[in-house]
């Protein structure tokens, strides 16, 4: 028999549902408790589906609420539903998809897709055939409700639908969806396109079999009067461009017929997208605007297809970069002074700490830049809108066409930059920033006038103009600094710095934020050029501490940290320390250990500690102790969670990661000054636990700390090498690039420290010939030797792997060199496996200590295995020539190896060999080494 509810129980549940709609939070809390109690009864969910689907006398919000509560129960407990309950819910859903209420139909659709995604489509075998059959119903509600449910299933269960078990169902569904492209109801047309769209990116074969019919169907709907239909057409064309450009390309230049109007217009696809990018409905315009972004990412096709359309496209994109009236209202653009208004916590974005990654010292080219696209100046709006999409489109097109784009841009820019309407003026400044990277060469003649103009515009009376000007100027920071280095600071750098510092103290919070971010970019570019102005800069930043609300205070930490990174130990003056440290320590002391504001503050302090070096000593002990405490507490919380996951929540390991990184900063900045703190703490056993953590970022930061402690106080690390080395070896996995990079770097640091304290006889190189070897007296080799077998193989694999990132390649090469320095007898036999990539990895880095130690290692290995270098000797010569000024003893080693090789092969053979050298290499070797 069909399940029937108990009337009194039904009345109680209806009463609960009505009470749950009360605005009174106490009543809502009470209702929530009762609902949780009712979940203990298996047939409670039967009551909910009954209210949703059968109780047509009840009001729609109450019925829908019953469905949404049931949806949450399905999501949380479906696997525990009795079979009879699950089957009853499924049956009732299928019966109710055609409900006369649009709200109930939508709720039923949501419930169906939740069951399908939770319970596996293959266990509800009648769902897809039933819904497809109901599409043919003459009853509009039934057809629309079925399509709505299918659309949600296609969105949420597309991977299941593409599985072999359901492939046949999809082969029936796709052609059926295409039949409804011409349905009289715009809502059903929209559902049909949306269903098919779910399978474009994955190139589902069932769709690819009908792709021509699909594209033709899209053309017939291109000028549909319904907004949702036009939006879905644009979305489909954008995705097809990404995966089946071969099918769209003929229509990029050939005319297509677009029906659906009283007349039949003729378009190419770009012409159609130009039209839709100007659609009166912004959501349609946004979907169409994505077309240009996707096309620009396919550079070759873009250069072939787009040039004829650029004169029309560029003004359209620029026009899309203006704030709408609604934007200005949402951004409170009429409020100029808001610095006294506290921030709402929900307006502050969550911050994610980036674990420390070691790159080559003093090697700017290997630093990974964190690009700021600058479109987040309007973060009060939705995450992605027409303004941001248009600006991103212009930016990426500038990087494809470069200066070729400028004539179309400059004509419009002259009109906008001097416009009386501030909204137009603001968009012009955004345009300048968007083209900065791609059109820099073409902009060079204009910058001597534009930069002072923009600097002056920082004083504009409209806050939104001031904020976007900050960002645009930051995009030209490299040019400004270069000009100042060549011609002095007075023309550009000094005026810009002064105005940005004023804007950091602006009375508008949005301007404060933009100015802080722009100044951080200027700091990165200018570096030590800012040293003469440090007092003024620090004075401003410290003043901002007392002025800023919560959100901008977090950005201020970034600006201070970046300043410390940029000027380094120039900050280590008592005057500067007394300015910057008291407010930082005050904030440090005011924050609880569980406060996430610690993340940016810890990052900031890490940079400051590294810059101040011994100047940080008076503040070091309490900071060190608290960081160790944060690590210890997080590990303890994690242990509790692992032992009893029902009772305890997992800890936020970011607290441990930022603490490890600050400890790294202390070790790097204080050097041996941290030794006593390490000795009196349990940081090494804690670090040992962190090195084995399941979370990659924890291991990454612990390896960075290990490397820094190795450099600062190796006498303590040395005692634990036997424990640390096997863990480091296990993490030489290039799939986790940053973890692998830091593990590699730490191994290299340990190697070189062992070498430094144990070598008591420096080797001397003589002629390279059979039987002549370096004279070594290593104790270090004995300590490192047991680990060579587990370390060297993975390092050789990494250095030979295609696509290995530059920083990892460099660190791997240096570590192999250092291992060869300490254990040449063990490493040298493998030289043939790594010499070529080793040389090419290190030829492009600057002279520094890491490079020095690595080359001493290769020289030691050549002494042990001279024949190992012979097949790749030309690469070794090239690597030697990359040195600008090697230390005298290292240069002497190079000299003896080169002349030893030349003497061994003879003058004639050497002459033929050196003929292969590029001319610059010949000249350098002759000038520096006489060969």
């Amino acid at each position: 028999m069909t399940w029937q509810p108990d009337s009194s129980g039904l009345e109680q549940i209806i009463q609960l549902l009505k009470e749950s709609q009360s605005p009174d939070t106490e009543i809502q809390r009470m209702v929530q408790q009762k609902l949780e109690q009712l979940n203990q009864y298996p047939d409670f969910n039967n009551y909910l589906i009954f209210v949703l689907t059968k109780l047509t006398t009840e009001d729609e919000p109450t019925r829908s609420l019953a469905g949404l509560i049931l949806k949450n129960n399905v999501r949380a407990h479906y696997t525990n539903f009795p079979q009879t309950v699950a089957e009853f819910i499924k049956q009732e859903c299928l019966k109710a998809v055609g409900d006369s209420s649009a709200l109930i139909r939508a709720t039923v659709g949501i419930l169906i897709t939740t069951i399908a995604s939770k319970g596996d489509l293959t266990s509800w075998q009648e769902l897809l055939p039933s819904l497809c059959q109901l599409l043919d119903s003459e009853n509009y509600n039934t057809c629309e409700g079925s399509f709505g449910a299918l659309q949600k299933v296609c969105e949420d269960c597309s991977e299941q639908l593409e599985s072999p078990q359901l492939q046949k169902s999809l082969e029936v569904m796709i052609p059926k969806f295409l039949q409804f492209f011409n349905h009289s109801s715009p809502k059903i047309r929209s559902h049909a396109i949306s269903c098919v769209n779910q399978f474009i990116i994955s190139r589902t074969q069932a769709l690819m079999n009908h792709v021509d019919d699909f594209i033709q169907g899209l053309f017939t709907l291109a000028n549909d009067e319904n907004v949702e239909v036009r939006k879905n057409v644009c979305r489909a064309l954008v995705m097809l461009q990404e995966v089946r450009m071969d099918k769209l390309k003929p229509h990029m230049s050939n005319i297509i017929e677009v029906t659906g109007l009283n007349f039949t217009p003729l378009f190419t696809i770009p012409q159609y997208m130009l039209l839709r990018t100007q659609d009166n409905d912004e959501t349609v315009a946004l979907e169409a605007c994505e077309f240009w972004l996707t096309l620009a990412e396919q550079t070759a096709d873009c250069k072939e297809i787009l040039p004829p359309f650029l004169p029309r496209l560029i003004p359209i994109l620029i026009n899309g970069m203006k704030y709408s009236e609604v934007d200005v209202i949402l951004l409170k653009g009429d409020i100029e002074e808001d610095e006294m208004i506290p921030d709402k916590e929900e307006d502050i974005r969550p911050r994610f700490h980036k674990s420390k990654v070691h790159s080559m010292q003093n090697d700017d080219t290997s630093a990974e830049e964190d690009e700021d696209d600058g479109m987040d100046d309007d973060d009060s709006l939705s995450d992605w809108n027409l303004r941001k999409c248009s600006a991103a489109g212009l930016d990426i097109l500038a990087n494809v066409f470069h200066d070729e784009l400028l004539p179309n841009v400059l004509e419009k820019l002259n009109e906008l930059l001097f416009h009386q309407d501030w909204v137009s003026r603001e968009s012009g400044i955004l345009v300048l920033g968007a083209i900065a990277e791609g059109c820099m060469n073409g902009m060079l003649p204009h910058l001597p006038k534009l930069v002072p103009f923009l600097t002056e515009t920082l004083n504009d009376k409209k806050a939104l103009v001031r904020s976007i000007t900050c960002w645009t100027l930051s995009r030209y920071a490299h040019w400004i600094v270069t000009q100042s280095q060549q011609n002095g600071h007075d023309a550009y750098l000094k005026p810009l710095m002064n105005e940005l510092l004023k804007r950091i103290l602006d009375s508008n919070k949005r301007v404060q934020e933009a100015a802080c971010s722009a100044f951080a970019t200027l700091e990165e570019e200018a570096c030590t050029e800012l040293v003469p102005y440090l007092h003024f800069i620090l004075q401003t930043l410290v003043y901002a501490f007392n002025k800023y609300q919560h959100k901008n205070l977090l950005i201020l930490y970034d600006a201070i940290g970046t300043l410390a990174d940029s000027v380094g130990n120039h900050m280590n003056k008592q005057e500067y320390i007394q300015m910057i440290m008291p407010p930082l320590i005050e904030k440090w002391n005011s924050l609880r250990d569980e406060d996430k504001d610690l993340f940016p503050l810890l990052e900031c302090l890490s940079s400051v500690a590294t810059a101040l070096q011994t100047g940080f000593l008076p503040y070091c002990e309490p900071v060190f102790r608290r960081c160790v405490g944060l690590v210890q507490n997080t590990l303890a919380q994690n242990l509790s969670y692992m032992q009893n996951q029902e009772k305890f929540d997992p800890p936020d390991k970011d607290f441990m990661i930022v603490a490890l990184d600050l400890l790294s900063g202390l070790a790097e900045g204080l050097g041996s000054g941290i030794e006593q703190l390490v000795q009196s703490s349990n940081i090494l056993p804690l670090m040992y636990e962190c090195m084995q953590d399941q979370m990659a970022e924890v291991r990454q930061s612990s390896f960075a700390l290990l490397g820094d402690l190795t450099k600062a106080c190796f006498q303590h690390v040395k005692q634990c090498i036997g424990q640390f080395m096997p863990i480091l070896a296990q993490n030489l996995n290039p799939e986790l690039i940053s973890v692998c990079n830091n593990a590699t770097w730490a191994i290299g640091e340990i190697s070189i420290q062992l070498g430094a304290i144990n070598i008591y006889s420096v080797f001397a190189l003589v002629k390279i010939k059979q039987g002549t070897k370096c004279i070594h007296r290593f104790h270090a080799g004995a300590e490192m030797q047991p680990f060579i077998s587990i370390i060297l193989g993975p390092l050789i694999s990494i250095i030979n792997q295609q696509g290995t990132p530059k920083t990892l390649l460099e660190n791997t090469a240096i570590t192999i060199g250092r291992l060869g320095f300490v254990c040449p007898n063990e490493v040298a036999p493998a030289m043939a496996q790594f010499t070529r990539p080793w040389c090419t990895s290190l030829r492009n880095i600057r002279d520094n200590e890491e490079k020095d130690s690595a080359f001493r290692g290769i020289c030691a290995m050549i002494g042990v295995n001279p024949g190992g270098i012979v097949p790749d000797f030309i690469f070794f010569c090239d690597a030697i020539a990359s040195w600008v000024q090697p230390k005298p003893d290292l240069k002497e080693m190079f000299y003896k190896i080169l002349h030893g090789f030349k003497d061994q092969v003879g003058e004639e053979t050497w002459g033929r060999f050196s003929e292969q050298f590029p001319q610059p290499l010949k000249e350098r070797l002759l000038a520096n080494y006489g060969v």
Side-chain angles (χ1 to χ4, degrees), residues 211-257:
V211 69
D212 291 323
D213 293 336
F214 177 43
I215 291 171
Q216 192 56 50
L218 292 173
F219 291 161
T220 65
L221 295 173
N223 270 342
D224 198 283
E225 293 179 0
N226 182 266
V227 165
E228 288 301 314
V229 173
R230 295 202 303 276
K231 193 193 304 182
N232 278 320
V233 168
C234 291
R235 189 175 294 162
L237 289 172
V238 169
M239 290 190 287
L240 282 167
Q241 181 180 227
E242 202 170 324
V243 301
R244 290 305 305 263
M245 188 63 165
D246 59 314
K247 291 292 184 181
L248 290 192
K249 210 166 182 182
H251 305 293
M252 292 291 185
S253 52
N254 297 331
I255 297 297
I256 58 172
E257 291 191 2

Side-chain angles (χ1 to χ4, degrees), residues 349-472:
R349 295 182 189 178
R351 295 175 64 87
F352 301 98
H353 174 69
K354 291 184 179 178
S355 302
K356 190 170 183 177
V357 179
H358 267 280
S359 57
M360 279 301 305
Q361 196 179 67
N362 301 322
D363 184 21
D364 297 338
T365 59
S366 62
E368 295 177 18
E369 294 186 13
D370 180 20
E371 285 293 329
D372 174 16
D373 66 6
M375 309 310 169
D376 291 335
D377 59 289
D378 47 359
D379 60 6
S380 300
L381 304 178
S382 62
D383 288 339
W384 191 240
N385 57 29
L386 183 59
R387 169 184 163 89
K388 291 182 180 182
C389 190
S390 300
L394 185 61
D395 187 341
I396 196 169
L397 287 172
N399 279 286
V400 172
F401 292 101
H402 301 292
D403 298 344
E404 195 181 328
L405 207 68
L406 271 181
N408 300 306
V409 175
L410 292 177
E411 183 180 346
K412 191 77 177 168
L413 259 181
N414 288 329
E415 171 195 332
L416 292 174
L417 289 176
F418 302 99
H419 205 286
Q420 290 186 340
D421 173 32
W422 73 265
V423 171
S424 298
R425 211 162 58 247
E426 192 275 349
S427 69
I429 296 167
L430 175 57
V431 169
L432 272 178
I435 63 170
E437 184 182 335
C439 300
M440 182 57 80
N441 284 336
M443 290 301 295
L444 291 177
H446 306 283
L447 292 181
K449 289 185 178 178
L450 269 177
V451 169
F453 167 77
L454 289 170
T455 304
E456 182 62 31
T457 306
L458 288 172
N459 292 298
D460 194 278
K461 65 180 183 179
K462 296 299 294 184
L464 288 172
V465 174
R466 298 197 298 276
S467 65
I468 198 62
T469 305
C470 289
W471 174 72
T472 293

Side-chain angles (χ1 to χ4, degrees), residues 284-301:
V284 177
L286 175 58
E287 292 293 344
C289 195
E290 295 278 2
F291 177 84
W292 314 111
L293 276 177
T294 309
L295 181 56
E297 285 166 1
Q298 303 176 50
T299 307
D301 288 331

Side-chain angles (χ1 to χ4, degrees), residues 481 485 489 493 497 522-534 537 562-571:
V481 170
Q485 289 168 337
H489 295 182
L493 180 60
M497 184 191 66
L522 185 65
E523 289 167 346
E524 289 173 336
E525 290 289 347
C527 294
T528 52
E529 297 291 320
L530 296 179
V531 170
Y533 316 108
L534 266 177
I537 294 169
T562 305
L563 178 67
D565 292 335
S566 300
V567 301
N569 62 8
H570 292 282
M571 269 182 75

